[in-house]
Amino acid sequence: MTHTDPQLHGVDPRVAGGRLTVDLDALAANYRFLAEQSTPAEAGAVVKADAYGLGTGPVVEALVAEGCRKFFVALPEEGLAVRASAPEADIYVFNGLFSPEAAAFYREGRLLPVLNSQSDLSIWEAHGWDDEDAPRPCALHVETGMNRLGLTPERAKIVAQENALTGALTPRLIISHLACADTPDHPMNRQQLESFQALGALFPDAESSLANSAGIFLGGEFLCDVTRPGVALYGSNPMNGTVNPMQSVASVHARIAQLRHVPAGATVSYGATPVGRDTLIAVTAVGYADGYHRSGSGAGVPLRTAQPVGSHGYIEGRRVPVLGRVTMDLTLFDVTDLGLDTLQVGDFIELMGSNLPMDELASACGTISYELLTSLGHRFERHYVRSGDHI
């Protein structure tokens, strides 16, 4: 089936400059694989930032169908969006409580805050909602070396002692976050695990969660009770220096707006990049306003001095290089070797997908796949594909 809700499809396909296709079968397969790798732990799913840019509703529906019952977001508004597609799930909100007024959002969606500080603890104790059989359900984040969010070890010990007496809060989950899990032999991994195990033991009635996408592949004790796969669900390789075990989920295509010949010695785009031969250019209607990063330009950006090769497109079985600088709404590709008779205005060039993995594009742009996915703009025509449908 293909989703038909026009709000999911973005711009009308007759006028869209680009197309984003999300393969929900591949997403489901990735979840099943990560759940298997997580055994005996339960696999949740991180769907913050609009499911990493791919659309909360369709992504969450597909994951619920695969049996996912724990979701993680950054902000309560994201949690409310998840709740619409997962009425029975546990939904945890990472970034805590900013004010007493924020508690109303959690109550509305029966969201579970991740408490990161004494302020969070005080607000939730005073303003949180009660479960049928337990007061103020929540998660606690303990700091083990990331130094981003989380209760210090000293504060966590005090909280454990005080809450054992008062029972004011019901911690359902104790979490921390690995800083270097994508590098398996990094000593930080073992240090964090040992610190987390000691702090988790202070809350014997709560489940524990430490492993992100990369942490799942550390296996063993790192799996704890619940894993939190994120970027791997969407097709990115979670581990450095290994073959990617994940299926490609997102593909991005740009529409050709114009085909033009330029002679050798002419210049193209901002900064006047010279071309060394008679060149056929495909001008496509996607640029950095759509999340196709300027840093992936073929020339004229600082990254090209450190990494000479820029981004590529893929069309008619060939890779074609970006020519000159990516601009806000347009990107140029050198399609000379394909010939004018092969292409026409309205054709699509793949920017990212099964032929151009997102991790490769990220490397060409000097960034990571997380940033690519979450940068995808709202000017794309969107397709959600399942069960053999092809666009």
Side-chain angles (χ1 to χ4, degrees), residues 212-282:
N212 53 8
S213 289
I216 291 171
F217 294 89
L218 297 177
E221 296 174 283
F222 286 91
L223 298 174
C224 301
D225 298 306
V226 178
T227 63
R228 308 191 306 271
V231 76
L233 287 170
Y234 310 104
S236 179
N237 192 351
M239 302 294 287
N240 292 330
T242 63
V243 175
N244 188 2
M246 314 313 301
Q247 295 188 27
S248 177
V249 172
S251 60
V252 176
H253 292 74
R255 192 190 297 270
I256 296 176
Q258 188 177 84
L259 292 161
R260 62 187 304 128
H261 289 279
V262 297
T267 61
V268 300
S269 197
Y270 291 116
T273 298
V275 296
R277 62 174 179 173
D278 291 346
T279 302
L280 177 63
I281 298 174

Side-chain angles (χ1 to χ4, degrees), residues 41-233:
E42 175 186 0
V46 181
V47 292
K48 59 185 178 177
D50 194 29
Y52 285 53
L54 300 187
T56 299
V59 166
V60 170
E61 289 172 18
L63 294 172
V64 168
E66 294 301 322
C68 185
R69 296 295 180 266
K70 288 184 172 64
F71 292 92
F72 298 87
V73 297
L75 298 166
E77 283 191 319
E78 296 174 341
L80 295 177
V82 173
R83 178 60 74 208
S85 298
E88 305 300 324
D90 291 335
I91 302 171
Y92 291 92
V93 182
F94 284 135
N95 287 12
L97 297 151
F98 303 140
S99 68
E101 291 75 19
F105 289 86
Y106 291 83
R107 189 178 301 109
E108 176 186 348
R110 307 295 280 179
L111 308 177
L112 297 160
V114 177
L115 306 181
N116 300 293
S117 65
Q118 183 57 49
S119 173
D120 286 346
L121 292 161
S122 299
I123 291 172
W124 193 242
E125 184 172 340
H127 301 282
W129 56 270
D130 291 335
D131 205 350
E132 293 178 358
D133 55 357
R136 305 300 196 263
C138 59
L140 299 178
H141 185 170
V142 294
E143 161 56 33
T144 60
M146 188 81 162
N147 278 310
R148 194 170 58 170
L149 291 175
L151 303 169
T152 65
E154 295 75 20
R155 175 54 59 185
K157 292 173 184 176
I158 293 171
V159 170
Q161 294 168 354
E162 291 180 346
N163 202 60
L165 295 173
T166 65
L169 303 173
T170 306
R172 290 187 179 176
L173 191 66
I174 310 300
I175 76 166
S176 194
H177 196 69
L178 293 166
C180 304
D182 55 357
T183 306
D185 59 355
H186 198 292
M188 187 72 168
N189 295 324
R190 176 56 56 174
Q191 293 171 22
Q192 286 193 268
L193 174 63
E194 292 174 355
S195 177
F196 182 65
Q197 288 174 328
L199 295 171
L202 300 171
F203 305 92
D205 295 330
E207 293 184 308
S208 60
S209 178
L210 180 63
N212 53 8
S213 289
I216 291 171
F217 294 89
L218 297 177
E221 296 174 283
F222 286 91
L223 298 174
C224 301
D225 298 306
V226 178
T227 63
R228 308 191 306 271
V231 76
L233 287 170

Side-chain angles (χ1 to χ4, degrees), residues 294-308:
R294 183 178 180 275
S295 56
S297 298
V301 294
L303 183 61
R304 292 289 77 83
T305 62
Q307 182 174 309

